[in-house]
Amino acid sequence: MCTSTFAGPWQHLEQGERVHIFAAMHARGLHLTAQREAILEAIFGCPGHICAEHILGAVLDRRPTLRMNKTTVYRALNLLVDMRLVREHRVGAGPAQYEPASRGPHTHLICRACGQSWNLDGDVVQGFTASLRARDGFEAQLESYPIFGLCSTCRG
Amino acid sequence: MCTSTFAGPWQHLEQGERVHIFAAMHARGLHLTAQREAILEAIFGCPGHICAEHILGAVLDRRPTLRMNKTTVYRALNLLVDMRLVREHRVGAGPAQYEPASRGPHTHLICRACGQSWNLDGDVVQGFTASLRARDGFEAQLESYPIFGLCSTCRG
DNA sequence: GTGAATGCAAACATTTTGCAGTAAG
DNA sequence: CTTACTGCAAAATGTTTGCATTCAC
């Protein structure tokens, strides 16, 4: 079951982004349909992560004339993740969460006890990923998953 | 759907471990039943991670006289995770994976391209978690989930 | 016009729940 | 003898698939 919903103003895709996505799809012989555009707008218009159910809800709310179905949402999401236009986070129980890949790398700290989350800026993460790269040649993609643990308050 | 199965020799719980678990359960007014003991043996006897379906399979295979049901497996797993005797890993699609909490912290690196995984020893991780602790007071539990990225081969 | 995209219903995989019966302490 | 535990069947959740129809290009 999903919990939070983003009810902010409806965002249209920024023009450059739209062009880039259209080109990427065209190159694969795929269509940028009204449904897919609405799904993209829901994802790009949400400041955080959003799940399939909420994407469906947002589109139905804000584009009542557009036909839309959960199957279409899931199919579009798989496509967009495949094309690396959207990042997927599957962590813990509950539905997968999605966000624009263009948002750039950022890591979340999540407290297992209180559930709060914090953004972790680049410095510390970069030090860690740099040492993994140096040691093992492994390019860690820490932005794909939040880091779980206990926050300073809950440790006490 | 599960893929790999561990078909190694049946392990009985090490005596000290059994005593410790029994005490922990007793302290909560819970029973260490034959079913729960068999489930624990399946988890502790598996060198890697094991999922609910395979625990059920292992117990049915090796203790044909013992009645056992997937509901019992899931209920036992929730209990054991809750008691922090067993660690749960939910990552990507597919069923949750379980392993003894006593196995100590260790982090896995998993390559998104080829799917291979490597154990990451403590040093590098400890440096990272130490800086998070110092900076944010956050106690990261990196052993709870793998770090995804690209291995040296697949980066090329 | 043609191949790709959609909606619907149904299947699927994983996990949880209600309830009546069983067994551990 | 009490309270926890179990099995069964059924539900809940999140996601995918088959197929006939519709639409973008």
Side-chain angles (χ1 to χ4, degrees):
Chain A
M1 196 212 311
C2 283
T3 49
S4 66
T5 313
F6 173 60
W10 186 254
Q11 304 275 123
H12 286 273
L13 277 181
E14 190 251 306
Q15 187 56 22
E17 206 126 53
R18 212 202 96 101
V19 168
H20 167 233
I21 289 167
F22 182 88
M25 295 198 132
H26 191 257
R28 287 198 179 198
L30 304 175
H31 303 169
L32 181 51
T33 60
Q35 280 83 355
R36 286 181 182 165
E37 192 149 4
I39 288 165
L40 282 162
E41 282 169 354
I43 299 168
F44 282 71
C46 172
H49 300 164
I50 188 168
C51 68
E53 188 185 327
H54 283 155
I55 293 171
L56 178 60
V59 174
L60 290 177
D61 273 5
R62 285 129 137 182
R63 293 232 180 149
T65 60
L66 185 63
R67 300 189 74 203
M68 178 60 73
N69 179 276
K70 71 179 168 166
T71 305
T72 303
V73 175
Y74 279 112
R75 280 200 272 237
L77 285 172
N78 285 343
L79 185 75
L80 295 169
V81 169
D82 221 60
M83 296 178 70
R84 299 180 185 261
L85 295 169
V86 165
R87 263 198 302 268
E88 181 185 61
H89 307 271
R90 280 172 194 262
V91 70
Q97 303 289 321
Y98 299 88
E99 71 174 339
S102 60
R103 210 159 271 169
H106 61 283
T107 306
H108 290 118
L109 299 178
I110 300 186
C111 177
R112 274 194 205 284
C114 64
Q116 258 196 279
S117 84
W118 294 263
N119 269 342
L120 181 60
D121 72 28
D123 290 11
V124 189
V125 178
Q126 271 160 36
F128 180 51
T129 54
S131 54
L132 287 183
R133 201 181 304 118
R135 236 189 49 128
D136 307 300
F138 191 88
E139 187 66 48
Q141 299 166 341
L142 272 173
E143 70 281 7
S144 309
Y145 276 92
I147 293 174
F148 285 95
L150 290 176
C151 73
S152 49
T153 314
C154 294
R155 278 170 66 193
Chain B
M1 196 210 311
C2 281
T3 49
S4 65
T5 314
F6 172 61
W10 185 254
Q11 302 275 126
H12 286 273
L13 277 181
E14 189 252 305
Q15 188 56 22
E17 207 126 53
R18 212 202 96 102
V19 168
H20 166 235
I21 289 168
F22 182 88
M25 296 198 133
H26 192 256
R28 287 198 179 198
L30 304 176
H31 303 167
L32 180 51
T33 60
Q35 280 84 355
R36 287 182 181 164
E37 192 149 3
I39 289 165
L40 282 162
E41 281 169 354
I43 299 169
F44 281 71
C46 172
H49 300 164
I50 188 168
C51 68
E53 189 185 328
H54 283 154
I55 293 170
L56 178 60
V59 173
L60 291 178
D61 272 7
R62 285 129 139 183
R63 294 234 179 148
T65 60
L66 185 63
R67 299 190 75 203
M68 177 61 71
N69 178 277
K70 70 178 168 171
T71 306
T72 302
V73 175
Y74 279 112
R75 280 199 273 237
L77 286 173
N78 286 343
L79 184 75
L80 295 169
V81 169
D82 221 61
M83 296 178 71
R84 304 188 178 256
L85 294 170
V86 165
R87 262 199 302 269
E88 180 185 62
H89 306 272
R90 281 173 193 262
V91 70
Q97 303 289 320
Y98 299 88
E99 70 173 340
S102 60
R103 211 159 270 170
H106 61 282
T107 306
H108 290 117
L109 299 178
I110 300 186
C111 177
R112 275 194 205 286
C114 64
Q116 258 197 278
S117 84
W118 294 263
N119 270 342
L120 181 60
D121 73 28
D123 291 13
V124 190
V125 178
Q126 272 160 35
F128 180 51
T129 54
S131 54
L132 288 183
R133 202 181 305 115
R135 236 189 50 127
D136 307 300
F138 191 88
E139 187 66 47
Q141 298 166 340
L142 273 172
E143 72 283 5
S144 310
Y145 67 95
I147 293 174
F148 286 95
L150 291 176
C151 73
S152 49
T153 313
C154 294
R155 278 170 67 192

